[in-house]
Amino acid sequence: MWRKFLTGLVGLGLTGPSATAQSPDPVFAESAIYAPEARSSDPFLGERPLHRATARPPAIRSLEREGFRGAIFAAPHLQGLSPWVQQAGGVPNDPAAVVIPQVPPASAGQQVPHSESTAPLFDPNITRYPEDFVFGAPRTDCLVCPPHERFWGSAEVLLGMTSGVDVPPVVTTGPLSPDVISTAAVGQPRTAALFGGRKLLGDWRAGMRAEGGFWFNPNQRWGASARIYSLFSVSQQFVGVGNGFNVMNVPQLLPIADTALQYPIFVGYPGVITGSVSTTAQTTFTGGDINLRRVLSSGARLRVEGFVGYRQLHVGDELGINFQAVGATLNPSPILVGEDSIRTRNNFYGGQLGGQATATCDRLTLQAFGALALGVNASNLDYRRTRLLTESGGLITIPLVQSTTASCVSYLGVVTEAGAKVGFRLTEHAQLTFGYTAMAWNDVRRAQEQYNLSPNLTGGTTNFFTHMFTWGAELRY
């Protein structure tokens, strides 16, 4: 058989004129025919003499070494194909055999042409390794999700603000009036608010946000993620001292039928009353969610994801007023001590549905996202009001007012969130990010807006808004 094969090759002019038929080489019998004076123009071997050490076809990485088992191509359809295709193991038509190419012999100056008819087979001119032909070459054009990334995490610094609250004029001052009741009274033209009488707690403040997630499988179709974020607590305080020369009033309202009677509690009145007052208003905002993610569309430049999950939010508010008024002209001096403290805690619990789209251009990424959550808004309120009259020695204490109010109500909560983020890719696994996020939440009870200078509360709700700018870094592995 070999003698006939060699004779045919000599007849085709594939061996040099000095080559003679010889027994097949025991090592490379299935790989090449040797012609000492012939030169090869094979695209893989280069233009060089055919020697025993270089005429062997380039080594092909075996799928067996990578753990692959089983047939790639069915053997029956290989019948009649080029004799340059050989089955490993030498067993013809073996379904379990791996098809590998055999580099054909070439005469000097002759190059084996590439034929489109062999496209279904592994072609080393197109694909370097059989593994790449079977599984596809590694992706190098996808900057959003490089291949084999399974985990990601990010940390961001926030600069944001929450919607301010309307605080009534808790402490006032003004000139002396012939009518003592009208001195520093709310609504008088020359009365000025020392604390309250405007929106508070709407200033910018710092915060943080962290996110982590993972994909369940390498093809990055299903995954899970979790976030936590917070704008740090912010407060505004006021401390005033009545020194007997100034006017300082803590206005009070006494509901009578359908009207309210206003009367003052002076902690400072020239020559009559001295005292002090301190107030504080505080708010905090935190939240988080956990989601199941699904990639809806993925390409080299655009990726679209959908997610469904659970969201929780918290807004806590507090308003506190403490005062002490001392009669300066009486001995022993009567002392009036008072406290108003109101606190609200709003918690949202609900499911959410959202989406996210990410586009890439070189090292830049642009991401847009949005979500809608529906659930329950549980609002808790505590209100304590105390008025005590005592004398300077503290031997006699008369409680004038002592009341406590607590309530818990639930509303249908709706939360919407939208934002965008720009990323600059530093390395294959790291990028810097800058973004903006806005969020709205309905039916929230704010402590400062519940207070109205009287023993009764307003009982109303308001819409809560927050928006923030973000700076951070993201890692993917």
Side-chain angles (χ1 to χ4, degrees):
M1 174 181 177
W2 280 104
R3 188 177 301 277
K4 292 179 180 181
F5 181 64
L6 294 177
T7 303
L9 291 179
V10 172
L12 292 176
L14 298 180
T15 60
S18 60
T20 58
Q22 53 182 305
S23 300
D25 189 281
V27 178
F28 307 111
E30 299 175 357
S31 301
I33 302 299
Y34 302 94
E37 300 299 327
R39 300 178 63 86
S40 170
S41 60
D42 187 278
F44 295 98
L45 301 179
E47 188 73 18
R48 67 187 71 177
L50 285 174
H51 296 296
R52 187 176 298 267
T54 60
R56 186 177 183 181
I60 305 298
R61 294 193 307 173
S62 173
L63 293 175
E64 296 289 333
R65 291 199 299 268
E66 302 293 337
F68 181 84
R69 298 293 186 272
I72 303 177
F73 308 102
H77 77 280
L78 298 177
Q79 296 181 359
L81 293 179
S82 170
W84 300 344
V85 178
Q86 178 188 350
Q87 292 177 298
V91 181
N93 301 328
D94 184 4
V98 177
V99 177
I100 61 175
Q102 295 298 301
V103 178
S107 61
Q110 181 180 359
Q111 183 173 353
V112 180
H114 172 67
S115 175
E116 296 295 336
S117 62
T118 60
L121 301 177
F122 168 74
D123 188 346
N125 287 298
I126 302 176
T127 308
R128 183 178 181 184
Y129 301 118
E131 290 86 342
D132 296 343
F133 178 74
V134 177
F135 302 110
R139 295 177 61 183
T140 59
D141 58 345
C142 180
L143 300 181
V144 180
C145 291
H148 308 305
E149 289 183 350
R150 299 290 297 273
F151 302 90
W152 76 90
S154 64
E156 296 170 298
V157 175
L158 309 180
L159 179 62
M161 61 180 296
T162 56
S163 51
V165 289
D166 290 314
V167 180
V170 176
V171 183
T172 61
T173 188
L176 293 176
S177 173
D179 183 4
V180 176
I181 299 298
S182 300
T183 300
V186 177
Q188 294 298 314
R190 302 174 65 183
T191 297
L194 299 177
F195 185 82
R198 61 185 179 89
K199 279 188 176 292
L200 300 178
L201 306 177
D203 298 332
W204 292 89
R205 61 187 191 269
M208 58 78 63
R209 179 167 65 186
E211 180 178 357
F214 65 95
W215 298 105
F216 298 141
N217 41 37
N219 63 9
Q220 300 180 350
R221 286 300 177 185
W222 289 95
S225 64
R227 294 189 306 168
I228 183 172
Y229 42 88
S230 174
L231 288 177
F232 300 145
S233 175
V234 64
S235 63
Q236 292 182 245
Q237 296 88 22
F238 171 80
V239 176
V241 177
N243 55 16
F245 299 96
N246 58 352
V247 174
M248 195 169 294
N249 178 30
V250 180
Q252 305 290 296
L253 292 178
L254 180 62
I256 300 177
D258 295 334
T259 62
L261 175 65
Q262 182 181 168
Y263 64 95
I265 295 181
F266 292 107
V267 296
Y269 198 91
V272 180
I273 299 175
T274 61
S276 63
V277 60
S278 64
T279 63
T280 181
Q282 183 176 348
T283 187
T284 184
F285 168 71
T286 59
D289 53 29
I290 183 170
N291 298 288
L292 179 66
R293 312 184 75 90
R294 174 68 163 89
V295 176
L296 305 178
S297 175
S298 179
R301 299 300 176 189
L302 181 63
R303 181 187 184 97
V304 180
E305 302 176 30
F307 57 85
V308 59
Y310 169 80
R311 180 188 290 266
Q312 183 170 337
L313 298 176
H314 170 80
V315 170
D317 292 293
E318 185 176 348
L319 176 66
I321 307 162
N322 292 273
F323 63 86
Q324 177 178 285
V326 181
T329 60
L330 300 177
N331 191 14
S333 301
I335 302 174
L336 178 63
V337 178
E339 177 189 15
D340 287 339
S341 176
I342 180 170
R343 181 185 180 193
T344 56
R345 299 172 302 281
N346 297 272
N347 295 285
F348 172 84
Y349 311 93
Q352 71 173 355
L353 182 67
Q356 173 179 299
T358 306
T360 67
C361 180
D362 295 331
R363 289 183 174 270
L364 294 178
T365 64
L366 176 61
Q367 183 181 96
F369 58 91
L372 174 65
L374 298 177
V376 176
N377 179 24
S379 179
N380 295 277
L381 182 147
D382 296 298
Y383 179 37
R384 185 173 66 254
R385 186 178 180 89
T386 303
R387 302 290 186 268
L388 299 176
L389 183 62
T390 183
E391 45 86 21
S392 57
L395 299 178
I396 301 175
T397 300
I398 302 174
L400 302 179
V401 176
Q402 284 187 323
S403 64
T404 301
T405 302
S407 68
C408 179
V409 294
S410 297
Y411 306 96
L412 173 64
V414 179
V415 176
T416 57
E417 180 184 11
K421 184 185 297 186
V422 177
F424 179 76
R425 185 173 172 229
L426 297 177
T427 68
E428 182 181 357
H429 300 287
Q431 70 173 350
L432 299 179
T433 61
F434 170 76
Y436 171 81
T437 302
M439 189 180 303
W441 178 9
N442 74 314
D443 289 339
V444 176
R445 290 198 295 181
R446 311 293 300 272
Q448 299 83 1
E449 296 183 354
Q450 294 292 310
Y451 185 68
N452 64 353
L453 308 178
S454 74
N456 300 325
L457 301 176
T458 63
T461 63
T462 185
N463 294 324
F464 177 85
F465 299 94
T466 180
H467 60 106
M468 61 198 79
F469 294 96
T470 66
W471 294 266
E474 181 179 287
L475 299 177
R476 291 178 177 268
Y477 285 95

